[in-house]
Amino acid sequence: MNIAAIKKLIPLRLKKHLAAYMGARGLPLPTGKRCFIFLAADYGNIGDIAISHAQKQYLQRVLTDYDVVSVAISQTRFVLDSIKKQIKETDIVTIIGGGNMGGTYPDIEELRQLVIKSFPANRIVCFPQTLDWNDSIQSKRALQRIVKVYAKHPDIHVFARESITSEKLFELFAEYSNVHIGLVPDIVMSANATVLGTTDCLAPSGILRCLRDDKEAALSAEQYAMIDKALADTGYQIEKTDTHAGGSQLYEAHCTKLLTDKLSQFRAAKLVVTDRLHGMILCLLSGTPCLVLPNSNHKIRQTQLDWLGGHPRLVFLELEEIADIATFIDSLLSLPHGMMDESPVDMAEYDDLKKALVAI
């Protein structure tokens, strides 16, 4: 039997343990009180990069006597033992927010559960997430594992970023008083474009088409065609872009540049059309009018309903309304840009998250 055949016989979980053991390294830490951000994005999803940056900035504002330490998701298994040896009871463990809780992104959920299991004596705060689930056996098993792991931790706070997720989490953990469920906006909405390093422009021009083409897309080929025709009919230059740049194990400086460049690109447009959640949020931060379309799950629609109803520069269209998209495009193109130092939600919406962090 050759080496390749032998490797196939080794269980995946064992392979991960071996890789972590072989790649383990020490991580020097500040000597004072620490607040960790686990699973920080070091890959080219600009929405996740924005979450990582906004979460760090939020923690630095709220926990002024703590050093905030980001642990890149690609390095989690390699530095976990080092952190476990240095952890103190006064340290706080936070886990990145986003839309990767559940069964759609099992590798990330597996790492989240690994972190939760690794620090039983520390408060765990899971920043605002969207939970995904369906009626499949695979999804039901994923939810069972989440409940089993999370419920064993004596002091864990799990925040949803929209009400459909919070209702499901309340249902799942109804019997476990140690699992504290909360509802706050996506953490990126606690930031603003100026803080995140956006470059202003003299005069916005053109339209950005920021539409996804992955497993979360909900638009049909006919609907894409309707959108493209309506955009072309405006007479403005149309530029296609995305919030996914690709790449992995990226340097922090490169991630920062991806984020600031994208925000500046949004700021320089007269209008953005998107079906990405952070396409919508980054657009609002940049002050640019935004036409939003649904994706395949509830995260965009419910975020808009829960937190952004009545926003003056945002229009959300259901799929059946796309035939009338030209009217909404014309209306949004007539609007002026907003300021870059505004957050789209009231900061008081994050009070429950703040209480979970400071009540140590």
Side-chain angles (χ1 to χ4, degrees), residues 1-31:
M1 185 179 292
N2 59 33
I3 294 177
I6 293 173
K7 286 182 177 179
K8 289 182 179 179
L9 296 176
I10 301 175
L12 179 59
R13 187 174 295 275
L14 178 57
K15 289 180 182 178
K16 290 178 178 178
H17 283 304
L18 290 172
Y21 176 77
M22 297 298 292
R25 64 179 180 83
L27 181 67
L29 295 175
T31 57

mmCIF file of all heavy atoms in Angstrom, residues 1-31:
data_model
loop_
_atom_site.group_PDB
_atom_site.id
_atom_site.type_symbol
_atom_site.label_atom_id
_atom_site.label_comp_id
_atom_site.label_asym_id
_atom_site.label_seq_id
_atom_site.Cartn_x
_atom_site.Cartn_y
_atom_site.Cartn_z
ATOM 1 N N MET A 1 0.850 -1.199 0.000
ATOM 2 C CA MET A 1 0.000 0.000 0.000
ATOM 3 C C MET A 1 0.882 1.244 0.000
ATOM 4 O O MET A 1 1.812 1.359 0.797
ATOM 5 C CB MET A 1 -0.901 -0.009 1.250
ATOM 6 C CG MET A 1 -1.903 1.141 1.278
ATOM 7 S SD MET A 1 -2.970 1.069 2.747
ATOM 8 C CE MET A 1 -3.923 -0.406 2.411
ATOM 9 N N ASN A 2 0.613 2.174 -0.942
ATOM 10 C CA ASN A 2 1.446 3.372 -1.023
ATOM 11 C C ASN A 2 1.027 4.416 0.007
ATOM 12 O O ASN A 2 0.016 4.289 0.687
ATOM 13 C CB ASN A 2 1.413 3.965 -2.442
ATOM 14 C CG ASN A 2 0.012 4.353 -2.890
ATOM 15 O OD1 ASN A 2 -0.812 4.765 -2.066
ATOM 16 N ND2 ASN A 2 -0.242 4.221 -4.182
ATOM 17 N N ILE A 3 1.844 5.485 0.099
ATOM 18 C CA ILE A 3 1.623 6.517 1.120
ATOM 19 C C ILE A 3 0.286 7.217 0.924
ATOM 20 O O ILE A 3 -0.439 7.510 1.887
ATOM 21 C CB ILE A 3 2.778 7.540 1.094
ATOM 22 C CG1 ILE A 3 4.071 6.852 1.523
ATOM 23 C CG2 ILE A 3 2.474 8.719 2.010
ATOM 24 C CD1 ILE A 3 5.284 7.739 1.461
ATOM 25 N N ALA A 4 -0.064 7.496 -0.351
ATOM 26 C CA ALA A 4 -1.324 8.180 -0.633
ATOM 27 C C ALA A 4 -2.514 7.365 -0.136
ATOM 28 O O ALA A 4 -3.472 7.906 0.426
ATOM 29 C CB ALA A 4 -1.449 8.459 -2.123
ATOM 30 N N ALA A 5 -2.453 6.046 -0.317
ATOM 31 C CA ALA A 5 -3.546 5.175 0.120
ATOM 32 C C ALA A 5 -3.628 5.145 1.645
ATOM 33 O O ALA A 5 -4.710 5.130 2.231
ATOM 34 C CB ALA A 5 -3.343 3.767 -0.427
ATOM 35 N N ILE A 6 -2.456 5.149 2.297
ATOM 36 C CA ILE A 6 -2.440 5.146 3.760
ATOM 37 C C ILE A 6 -3.060 6.427 4.308
ATOM 38 O O ILE A 6 -3.829 6.416 5.264
ATOM 39 C CB ILE A 6 -0.988 4.985 4.274
ATOM 40 C CG1 ILE A 6 -0.466 3.587 3.907
ATOM 41 C CG2 ILE A 6 -0.922 5.200 5.785
ATOM 42 C CD1 ILE A 6 0.989 3.386 4.213
ATOM 43 N N LYS A 7 -2.722 7.571 3.678
ATOM 44 C CA LYS A 7 -3.265 8.864 4.122
ATOM 45 C C LYS A 7 -4.789 8.880 4.058
ATOM 46 O O LYS A 7 -5.459 9.480 4.905
ATOM 47 C CB LYS A 7 -2.686 10.000 3.276
ATOM 48 C CG LYS A 7 -1.238 10.332 3.588
ATOM 49 C CD LYS A 7 -0.756 11.499 2.745
ATOM 50 C CE LYS A 7 0.666 11.884 3.103
ATOM 51 N NZ LYS A 7 1.161 13.018 2.269
ATOM 52 N N LYS A 8 -5.353 8.229 3.045
ATOM 53 C CA LYS A 8 -6.803 8.204 2.898
ATOM 54 C C LYS A 8 -7.480 7.449 4.036
ATOM 55 O O LYS A 8 -8.648 7.675 4.339
ATOM 56 C CB LYS A 8 -7.184 7.580 1.554
ATOM 57 C CG LYS A 8 -6.864 8.455 0.351
ATOM 58 C CD LYS A 8 -7.314 7.801 -0.943
ATOM 59 C CE LYS A 8 -7.014 8.688 -2.144
ATOM 60 N NZ LYS A 8 -7.434 8.047 -3.416
ATOM 61 N N LEU A 9 -6.730 6.517 4.673
ATOM 62 C CA LEU A 9 -7.296 5.715 5.752
ATOM 63 C C LEU A 9 -7.284 6.449 7.095
ATOM 64 O O LEU A 9 -7.959 6.036 8.033
ATOM 65 C CB LEU A 9 -6.518 4.400 5.881
ATOM 66 C CG LEU A 9 -6.595 3.448 4.678
ATOM 67 C CD1 LEU A 9 -5.698 2.243 4.908
ATOM 68 C CD2 LEU A 9 -8.036 3.000 4.443
ATOM 69 N N ILE A 10 -6.521 7.537 7.183
ATOM 70 C CA ILE A 10 -6.423 8.275 8.446
ATOM 71 C C ILE A 10 -7.655 9.164 8.593
ATOM 72 O O ILE A 10 -7.958 9.963 7.708
ATOM 73 C CB ILE A 10 -5.143 9.134 8.482
ATOM 74 C CG1 ILE A 10 -3.916 8.250 8.323
ATOM 75 C CG2 ILE A 10 -5.071 9.938 9.785
ATOM 76 C CD1 ILE A 10 -2.622 9.033 8.226
ATOM 77 N N PRO A 11 -8.390 9.064 9.684
ATOM 78 C CA PRO A 11 -9.579 9.915 9.885
ATOM 79 C C PRO A 11 -9.220 11.393 9.832
ATOM 80 O O PRO A 11 -8.134 11.800 10.278
ATOM 81 C CB PRO A 11 -10.061 9.512 11.282
ATOM 82 C CG PRO A 11 -9.487 8.157 11.519
ATOM 83 C CD PRO A 11 -8.183 8.137 10.799
ATOM 84 N N LEU A 12 -10.144 12.208 9.300
ATOM 85 C CA LEU A 12 -9.891 13.637 9.148
ATOM 86 C C LEU A 12 -9.598 14.306 10.486
ATOM 87 O O LEU A 12 -8.708 15.163 10.586
ATOM 88 C CB LEU A 12 -11.109 14.310 8.491
ATOM 89 C CG LEU A 12 -11.015 15.829 8.278
ATOM 90 C CD1 LEU A 12 -9.817 16.182 7.394
ATOM 91 C CD2 LEU A 12 -12.306 16.356 7.653
ATOM 92 N N ARG A 13 -10.319 13.912 11.534
ATOM 93 C CA ARG A 13 -10.106 14.525 12.847
ATOM 94 C C ARG A 13 -8.685 14.278 13.341
ATOM 95 O O ARG A 13 -8.033 15.164 13.905
ATOM 96 C CB ARG A 13 -11.119 13.980 13.844
ATOM 97 C CG ARG A 13 -11.095 14.686 15.198
ATOM 98 C CD ARG A 13 -12.235 14.170 16.073
ATOM 99 N NE ARG A 13 -13.524 14.522 15.507
ATOM 100 C CZ ARG A 13 -14.127 15.682 15.708
ATOM 101 N NH1 ARG A 13 -13.545 16.614 16.457
ATOM 102 N NH2 ARG A 13 -15.304 15.923 15.171
ATOM 103 N N LEU A 14 -8.176 13.070 13.102
ATOM 104 C CA LEU A 14 -6.804 12.749 13.505
ATOM 105 C C LEU A 14 -5.797 13.551 12.689
ATOM 106 O O LEU A 14 -4.789 14.020 13.219
ATOM 107 C CB LEU A 14 -6.549 11.245 13.344
ATOM 108 C CG LEU A 14 -5.132 10.761 13.695
ATOM 109 C CD1 LEU A 14 -4.776 11.154 15.129
ATOM 110 C CD2 LEU A 14 -5.030 9.256 13.506
ATOM 111 N N LYS A 15 -6.081 13.715 11.395
ATOM 112 C CA LYS A 15 -5.197 14.527 10.552
ATOM 113 C C LYS A 15 -5.092 15.949 11.090
ATOM 114 O O LYS A 15 -4.011 16.549 11.116
ATOM 115 C CB LYS A 15 -5.722 14.556 9.108
ATOM 116 C CG LYS A 15 -5.572 13.262 8.342
ATOM 117 C CD LYS A 15 -6.118 13.422 6.928
ATOM 118 C CE LYS A 15 -6.038 12.134 6.145
ATOM 119 N NZ LYS A 15 -6.625 12.278 4.785
ATOM 120 N N LYS A 16 -6.229 16.500 11.532
ATOM 121 C CA LYS A 16 -6.226 17.868 12.059
ATOM 122 C C LYS A 16 -5.416 17.953 13.344
ATOM 123 O O LYS A 16 -4.674 18.908 13.569
ATOM 124 C CB LYS A 16 -7.666 18.337 12.282
ATOM 125 C CG LYS A 16 -8.440 18.575 11.001
ATOM 126 C CD LYS A 16 -9.877 18.982 11.281
ATOM 127 C CE LYS A 16 -10.630 19.255 9.978
ATOM 128 N NZ LYS A 16 -12.056 19.600 10.236
ATOM 129 N N HIS A 17 -5.544 16.936 14.202
ATOM 130 C CA HIS A 17 -4.773 16.928 15.449
ATOM 131 C C HIS A 17 -3.277 16.835 15.158
ATOM 132 O O HIS A 17 -2.461 17.519 15.789
ATOM 133 C CB HIS A 17 -5.206 15.754 16.322
ATOM 134 C CG HIS A 17 -6.500 15.965 17.041
ATOM 135 N ND1 HIS A 17 -6.723 17.039 17.880
ATOM 136 C CD2 HIS A 17 -7.646 15.244 17.070
ATOM 137 C CE1 HIS A 17 -7.943 16.980 18.379
ATOM 138 N NE2 HIS A 17 -8.532 15.901 17.899
ATOM 139 N N LEU A 18 -2.921 15.990 14.202
ATOM 140 C CA LEU A 18 -1.507 15.842 13.846
ATOM 141 C C LEU A 18 -0.948 17.132 13.268
ATOM 142 O O LEU A 18 0.174 17.545 13.597
ATOM 143 C CB LEU A 18 -1.339 14.694 12.847
ATOM 144 C CG LEU A 18 -1.564 13.280 13.395
ATOM 145 C CD1 LEU A 18 -1.566 12.260 12.255
ATOM 146 C CD2 LEU A 18 -0.489 12.928 14.422
ATOM 147 N N ALA A 19 -1.729 17.779 12.398
ATOM 148 C CA ALA A 19 -1.286 19.040 11.799
ATOM 149 C C ALA A 19 -1.097 20.111 12.866
ATOM 150 O O ALA A 19 -0.125 20.877 12.841
ATOM 151 C CB ALA A 19 -2.296 19.506 10.757
ATOM 152 N N ALA A 20 -2.035 20.164 13.833
ATOM 153 C CA ALA A 20 -1.923 21.142 14.915
ATOM 154 C C ALA A 20 -0.692 20.866 15.770
ATOM 155 O O ALA A 20 0.027 21.783 16.182
ATOM 156 C CB ALA A 20 -3.184 21.109 15.772
ATOM 157 N N TYR A 21 -0.432 19.579 16.033
ATOM 158 C CA TYR A 21 0.736 19.209 16.842
ATOM 159 C C TYR A 21 2.028 19.569 16.129
ATOM 160 O O TYR A 21 2.948 20.151 16.723
ATOM 161 C CB TYR A 21 0.690 17.712 17.143
ATOM 162 C CG TYR A 21 1.904 17.209 17.897
ATOM 163 C CD1 TYR A 21 2.035 17.439 19.268
ATOM 164 C CD2 TYR A 21 2.912 16.516 17.228
ATOM 165 C CE1 TYR A 21 3.145 16.986 19.954
ATOM 166 C CE2 TYR A 21 4.030 16.065 17.901
ATOM 167 C CZ TYR A 21 4.146 16.304 19.261
ATOM 168 O OH TYR A 21 5.258 15.863 19.941
ATOM 169 N N MET A 22 2.105 19.254 14.843
ATOM 170 C CA MET A 22 3.322 19.513 14.080
ATOM 171 C C MET A 22 3.561 21.000 13.878
ATOM 172 O O MET A 22 4.699 21.452 13.802
ATOM 173 C CB MET A 22 3.248 18.812 12.715
ATOM 174 C CG MET A 22 3.171 17.290 12.807
ATOM 175 S SD MET A 22 4.609 16.544 13.589
ATOM 176 C CE MET A 22 5.862 16.884 12.338
ATOM 177 N N GLY A 23 2.474 21.786 13.786
ATOM 178 C CA GLY A 23 2.624 23.217 13.512
ATOM 179 C C GLY A 23 2.514 24.100 14.736
ATOM 180 O O GLY A 23 2.493 25.335 14.611
ATOM 181 N N ALA A 24 2.407 23.488 15.920
ATOM 182 C CA ALA A 24 2.206 24.265 17.149
ATOM 183 C C ALA A 24 3.335 25.266 17.369
ATOM 184 O O ALA A 24 4.506 24.976 17.107
ATOM 185 C CB ALA A 24 2.094 23.323 18.344
ATOM 186 N N ARG A 25 2.967 26.435 17.841
ATOM 187 C CA ARG A 25 3.975 27.460 18.145
ATOM 188 C C ARG A 25 3.516 28.289 19.336
ATOM 189 O O ARG A 25 2.333 28.322 19.667
ATOM 190 C CB ARG A 25 4.202 28.368 16.933
ATOM 191 C CG ARG A 25 3.001 29.190 16.510
ATOM 192 C CD ARG A 25 3.324 30.070 15.321
ATOM 193 N NE ARG A 25 2.195 30.877 14.885
ATOM 194 C CZ ARG A 25 1.849 32.038 15.420
ATOM 195 N NH1 ARG A 25 2.564 32.541 16.438
ATOM 196 N NH2 ARG A 25 0.820 32.714 14.970
ATOM 197 N N GLY A 26 4.473 28.926 19.965
ATOM 198 C CA GLY A 26 4.151 29.795 21.084
ATOM 199 C C GLY A 26 3.631 31.134 20.607
ATOM 200 O O GLY A 26 4.010 31.608 19.536
ATOM 201 N N LEU A 27 2.767 31.738 21.404
ATOM 202 C CA LEU A 27 2.228 33.063 21.085
ATOM 203 C C LEU A 27 2.461 33.972 22.289
ATOM 204 O O LEU A 27 1.761 33.862 23.298
ATOM 205 C CB LEU A 27 0.737 32.982 20.765
ATOM 206 C CG LEU A 27 0.069 34.315 20.394
ATOM 207 C CD1 LEU A 27 0.617 34.829 19.066
ATOM 208 C CD2 LEU A 27 -1.446 34.164 20.312
ATOM 209 N N PRO A 28 3.454 34.877 22.203
ATOM 210 C CA PRO A 28 3.685 35.803 23.323
ATOM 211 C C PRO A 28 2.459 36.696 23.527
ATOM 212 O O PRO A 28 1.894 37.217 22.568
ATOM 213 C CB PRO A 28 4.895 36.623 22.856
ATOM 214 C CG PRO A 28 5.517 35.819 21.757
ATOM 215 C CD PRO A 28 4.403 35.078 21.101
ATOM 216 N N LEU A 29 2.051 36.877 24.785
ATOM 217 C CA LEU A 29 0.859 37.658 25.097
ATOM 218 C C LEU A 29 1.205 38.806 26.041
ATOM 219 O O LEU A 29 2.152 38.712 26.824
ATOM 220 C CB LEU A 29 -0.197 36.765 25.759
ATOM 221 C CG LEU A 29 -0.785 35.639 24.910
ATOM 222 C CD1 LEU A 29 -1.726 34.786 25.761
ATOM 223 C CD2 LEU A 29 -1.518 36.193 23.704
ATOM 224 N N PRO A 30 0.428 39.897 25.988
ATOM 225 C CA PRO A 30 0.588 40.975 26.966
ATOM 226 C C PRO A 30 0.383 40.431 28.376
ATOM 227 O O PRO A 30 -0.315 39.436 28.579
ATOM 228 C CB PRO A 30 -0.508 41.977 26.590
ATOM 229 C CG PRO A 30 -0.899 41.626 25.196
ATOM 230 C CD PRO A 30 -0.666 40.164 25.042
ATOM 231 N N THR A 31 0.980 41.096 29.360
ATOM 232 C CA THR A 31 0.937 40.574 30.729
ATOM 233 C C THR A 31 -0.310 40.982 31.503
ATOM 234 O O THR A 31 -0.642 40.366 32.512
ATOM 235 C CB THR A 31 2.177 41.048 31.507
ATOM 236 O OG1 THR A 31 2.228 42.486 31.474
ATOM 237 C CG2 THR A 31 3.442 40.472 30.892
#
